[in-house]
Amino acid sequence: MILNSLVEKISKNRKSLSILVDPDKIPNEKYLDQIISNCGKCNVDYIFVGGSLLVSESLNETICFIKKKANIPVILFPGSNLHIDKAADAILFLSLISGRNPEFLIGQHVTAAPILRRSKLEILPTGYILVGNNANTTVAHISQTFPIPTSKDAIAICTAMAGEMLGMKLIYLDAGSGAIEEVSGQMIAGVKKSIDIPLIVGGGINTLKKAETAFNAGADMLVLGTAVEKKVDFISDVAKIRDLINTKHS
């Protein structure tokens, strides 16, 4: 079970690294092969597949390619109830708790529930919190919600606590794909101290300093996406930081 393995890692003070693969942003199979090869060499913990808006029809093809090339759990990162594929190992059942659009709080989930019930996917109930000062992003347009401003730590903290109390098993702080400004270390630390469930952080992590800051602030798992699309070797660079932190805590 993926959730159990993540919780066990956290109990041992071990950090995790995930790579987000958006099928729409992978130019060709050769480039995807490079990403997956690096993931295997660097012992990446999980691979997320999905995005806010999937235009291509290569979701299943991408998942099958990854599973053929690497023995790494593949977790769906869906933008809607259409982004379900039984070839994956699990799905982030995202409830957009930072917004007030009922469609992304519960609506899409109702439609997806019977499909997921019949599948063998591990369901990972996740309180999804968008953070940022720019509402002009793909996910903001698709979800028709505004992100929590980067300076409003208290709102993020209370939102994360409410998500946990509602039964979410994970909290995901996300600045969004290609974000200029990442989730601050201060916000990460505040949320981490206020919840007892795993904390995932992603969006805007495009330098080693940002990655190290997020890990040290309390992120249990970092998700890299756009930075890896631009530079595949960034995987190994961040993996070294993860390994160094884990070695110190072992």
Side-chain angles (χ1 to χ4, degrees):
M1 299 289 284
I2 291 173
L3 180 60
N4 290 343
S5 70
L6 179 57
V7 171
E8 184 178 353
K9 288 177 183 178
I10 294 171
S11 70
K12 297 177 181 178
N13 291 318
R14 298 186 65 82
K15 305 292 186 178
S16 297
L17 175 62
S18 295
I19 303 304
L20 172 59
V21 174
D22 185 336
D24 284 348
K25 297 180 180 179
I26 301 300
N28 52 58
E29 192 174 273
K30 182 179 179 181
Y31 194 73
L32 178 58
D33 190 36
Q34 287 182 310
I35 292 176
I36 303 310
S37 177
N38 271 29
C39 286
K41 292 176 183 177
C42 300
N43 295 314
V44 165
D45 299 276
Y46 311 99
I47 296 178
F48 291 179
V49 179
S52 299
L53 183 65
L54 294 183
V55 178
S56 68
E57 298 181 358
S58 58
L59 179 61
N60 179 263
E61 181 182 337
T62 300
I63 294 171
C64 291
F65 183 87
I66 294 171
K67 293 186 72 65
K68 180 180 178 181
K69 293 287 184 175
N71 186 28
I72 302 173
V74 176
I75 303 174
L76 288 168
F77 178 67
S80 79
N81 56 20
L82 299 175
H83 303 164
I84 298 174
D85 195 291
K86 297 176 183 179
D89 298 298
I91 183 170
L92 292 174
F93 205 38
L94 301 170
S95 183
L96 187 56
I97 58 177
S98 59
R100 297 297 180 267
N101 184 343
E103 200 48 33
F104 289 90
L105 278 168
I106 185 63
Q108 295 276 327
H109 312 69
V110 173
T111 309
I115 300 172
L116 293 174
R117 177 70 76 179
R118 291 191 296 268
S119 77
K120 295 182 179 180
L121 292 169
E122 180 179 351
I123 313 302
L124 304 172
T126 305
Y128 189 50
I129 301 175
L130 288 174
V131 178
N133 298 318
N134 180 15
N136 190 29
T137 63
T138 300
V139 67
H141 279 288
I142 295 297
S143 66
Q144 296 181 11
T145 65
F146 295 101
I148 294 175
T150 55
S151 62
K152 303 296 183 181
D153 297 350
I155 297 177
I157 290 169
C158 293
T159 301
M161 288 194 295
E164 181 179 18
M165 292 174 186
L166 282 167
M168 305 296 174
K169 301 300 182 183
L170 303 166
I171 293 295
Y172 191 154
L173 289 175
D174 193 2
S177 177
I180 297 175
E181 190 174 3
E182 76 283 8
V183 182
S184 72
Q186 182 174 303
M187 181 178 285
I188 295 170
V191 169
K192 179 60 181 176
K193 291 176 183 177
S194 303
I195 60 175
D196 295 315
I197 55 178
L199 176 60
I200 304 170
V201 177
I205 302 172
N206 51 18
T207 68
L208 296 182
K209 183 177 181 180
K210 290 180 181 180
E212 186 173 14
T213 296
F215 269 139
N216 288 331
D220 297 307
M221 181 196 300
L222 282 192
V223 181
L224 306 179
T226 302
V228 171
E229 294 164 9
K230 294 180 178 179
K231 181 187 176 186
V232 176
D233 290 342
F234 192 59
I235 298 173
S236 58
D237 294 337
V238 177
K240 290 176 183 176
I241 294 175
R242 175 205 58 187
D243 294 342
L244 181 60
I245 293 174
N246 288 343
T247 299
K248 289 181 180 179
H249 291 164
S250 62

